[in-house]
Amino acid sequence: MIRVTPHDGLLGATVTGVDLSQPLSDGDFATIFRALGERGVLRFPQQMIDAPELKQFSERFGSLQVVKGSPYHEPGMPEVSILSNVKDGDRQIGLPDAGQEWHTDMTYNTLVGFVNVLVAHRVPVRDGVTLGATEFASTQAAYAELPVDLIQRLEGATATHDLNFYWEHMRRDKGSTRPPLTAEQRKARPPVQHPVFLTHPITGKRVIYVNPGFTERIDGVSPSESDDLLAQLFEHVLQPRFRYTHRWTLGDLLIWDHLGTWHYAVPDYRPDEPRLMKRCQVLADKVFDARFRQRTLEMA
Ligand code: OGA
Ligand code: MN
């Protein structure tokens, strides 16, 4: 019998009583879907499934993103990416520094991200202490406590999101050795505009939909005003009461909601301390139409 146990605080729950290597019943899926909206991050312990099952489970939530030209994926399965510092000889087998800044995935797409699904195949441990945690912040809980003047000021506003903005920040400020995006990659992902606030398709609550990683500016105001507004929003969301840290255990499968949370991969382990995650990135095509209007969910 499926069981959802909320963690302390506003974010996170542990889900037991399901076997994710098997197709899920509609009832169990609906329970998971609702819990995802309400708790933002769900941990399924002892579910070390491999790529085919990971893909099958992830596809219940929507279409999967495939990054054209990325070498970091499961052989023959471009929907399953590998995040890892592990090397095969001289060759990196995965993206070694994914997510090492506060962000939410795929806001730089026209069709934005909905859910990430990660399963921990290797977790760095030093002197008995687990490293390489993933931190989360709830933009849904944060909206509920946003000062009214900020809400009034930004209601109806849009912001510009750009993959290249993040990419260059990682190269310039975080010591990333990733090569610049090619002209072709930049052309495939031009800057896009999205509303600053969205209505969450599962809970019906408002969320703050800008993030430090990909949001370059608030549209229609001066650069200094935009910087100031973004700084206020970011500082508000990152307050401790909206946050949750997930420390990985081998075989944890974690799913999180990209519409109502941000995340940050803590880079506190060395290149010789192996970390390996397999991941599917689910797009929001089952929950939104092209203008963020909610679709009727026959799935939940
Ligand atoms: C991601 C990401 C975080 C991590 O999967 O989008 O940012 O801790 N990863 O690996
Ligand atoms: Mn990410």
Side-chain angles (χ1 to χ4, degrees), residues 217-232:
R217 61 178 175 275
I218 307 277
D219 304 316
V221 299
S222 71
S224 67
E225 220 176 320
S226 166
D227 289 349
D228 178 54
L229 286 164
L230 287 174
Q232 285 187 59

Side-chain angles (χ1 to χ4, degrees), residues 116-216:
N116 256 22
V117 185
L118 258 70
V119 58
H121 283 257
R122 300 189 76 174
V123 174
V125 179
R126 189 189 307 159
D127 303 328
V129 178
T130 303
L131 303 172
T134 309
E135 288 196 50
F136 294 88
S138 173
T139 60
Q140 180 167 252
Y143 180 92
E145 294 186 37
L146 200 58
V148 174
D149 61 316
L150 258 184
I151 294 185
Q152 284 171 348
R153 202 137 160 233
L154 288 167
E155 188 51 58
T158 62
T160 296
H161 300 248
D162 183 7
L163 175 62
N164 195 54
F165 173 75
Y166 174 81
W167 205 267
E168 286 303 313
H169 163 61
M170 294 306 284
R171 284 166 38 79
R172 189 179 56 238
D173 308 321
K174 298 270 179 170
S176 176
T177 55
R178 57 182 80 192
L181 292 177
T182 62
E184 205 181 337
Q185 284 170 319
R186 289 184 64 167
K187 211 166 137 221
R189 293 213 148 76
V192 293
Q193 299 184 334
H194 297 308
V196 170
F197 302 133
L198 293 180
T199 299
H200 197 283
I202 301 176
T203 61
K205 293 183 182 162
R206 299 289 274 169
V207 302
I208 299 168
Y209 196 65
V210 290
N211 67 89
F214 298 116
T215 309
E216 190 170 7

Side-chain angles (χ1 to χ4, degrees), residues 4-80:
V4 178
T5 309
H7 301 164
D8 291 345
L10 297 166
L11 262 175
T14 293
V15 185
T16 53
V18 278
D19 177 356
L20 300 183
S21 70
Q22 302 298 319
L24 279 181
S25 69
D26 288 348
D28 282 358
F29 181 73
T31 300
I32 292 169
F33 193 73
R34 176 132 294 279
L36 177 68
E38 283 165 3
R39 302 300 304 175
V41 186
L42 303 180
R43 170 182 182 233
F44 298 79
Q46 297 177 324
Q47 306 269 1
M48 201 192 277
I49 54 176
D50 219 327
E53 293 80 28
L54 181 64
K55 182 173 163 221
Q56 200 171 52
F57 170 65
S58 304
E59 278 171 345
R60 291 293 292 267
F61 297 90
S63 304
L64 304 184
Q65 163 152 286
V66 173
V67 181
K68 278 207 196 89
S70 164
Y72 302 132
H73 59 76
E74 188 75 12
M77 234 182 271
E79 306 89 345
V80 178

